[in-house]
């Protein structure tokens, strides 16, 4: 009898634990485990899982420095600075600096930042529910990326997953 009760309790516990799993949170997302990266951040640095990432605070005006690529592997521009970052003087910097730029929580397509004659508000919204977009130009060739959240759900685990994927992209450019 005790054995049946224990088996029943185990069954109930396993069902309850399966039901409590958040289907909107990514599980077992891979960490970026590559070389150390130094990321310039305009705004508040994000919380990430990786220990091999160093964030250094920047202001938008700092982007006009010479040799950004010798100091940073990439630059993140956080949500509260996106409108200003889309202004004409910065478009040339994104195209000529030699490092990737990532626009965090932007609801606009990447051309808001790369075209001098467009402003943030005038540019089309992204098609999906991307959390971040990135742009990198080498010579005449530019490329961009978009990163969505798992099940379009905003939570810390899904946000950390996006940053891990961004770090993998940065590392692939640097190699």
């Amino acid at each position: 009898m005790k054995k049946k009760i224990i088996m029943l309790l185990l069954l109930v516990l396993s069902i309850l634990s399966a039901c409590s799993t958040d289907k909107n949170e990514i599980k077992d997302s891979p960490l970026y485990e590559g070389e150390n990266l130094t990321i310039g951040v305009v705004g508040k640095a994000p919380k990430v899982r990786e220990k091999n990432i160093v964030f250094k605070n920047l202001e938008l005006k700092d982007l006009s420095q010479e040799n950004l690529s010798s100091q940073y592997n990439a630059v993140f521009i956080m949500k509260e600075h996106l409108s200003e970052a889309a202004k004409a003087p910065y478009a040339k910097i994104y195209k000529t600096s030699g490092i990737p730029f990532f626009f965090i929580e932007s609801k606009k397509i990447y051309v808001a930042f790369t075209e001098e004659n467009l402003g943030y508000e005038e540019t089309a919204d992204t098609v999906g529910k991307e959390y971040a977009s990135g742009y990198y130009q080498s010579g005449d060739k530019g490329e961009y990326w978009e990163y969505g959240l798992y099940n379009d759900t905003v939570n810390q685990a899904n946000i950390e997953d996006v940053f891990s994927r961004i770090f993998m992209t940065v590392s692939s450019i640097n190699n």
Side-chain angles (χ1 to χ4, degrees), residues 21-84:
T21 301
D22 187 351
K23 293 177 185 170
N24 290 318
E25 183 174 293
I26 192 161
K27 305 291 183 217
D28 301 322
S29 167
L31 285 172
Y32 167 71
E33 296 177 340
E35 64 184 41
N36 293 348
L37 298 175
T38 301
I39 309 290
V41 181
V42 178
K44 184 180 178 192
K47 180 183 175 201
V48 299
R49 302 174 293 175
E50 288 79 1
K51 303 295 182 217
N52 52 347
I53 307 299
V54 174
F55 291 111
K56 293 191 175 180
N57 290 328
L58 288 172
E59 293 185 26
L60 280 171
K61 67 181 180 180
D62 297 331
L63 299 182
S64 61
Q65 297 176 41
E66 293 293 320
N67 301 319
L68 273 179
S69 62
S70 67
Q71 300 173 55
Y72 307 102
N73 297 104
V75 172
F76 290 177
I77 300 176
M78 306 309 279
K79 181 180 182 177
E80 59 274 10
H81 299 280
L82 294 173
S83 184
E84 181 70 20

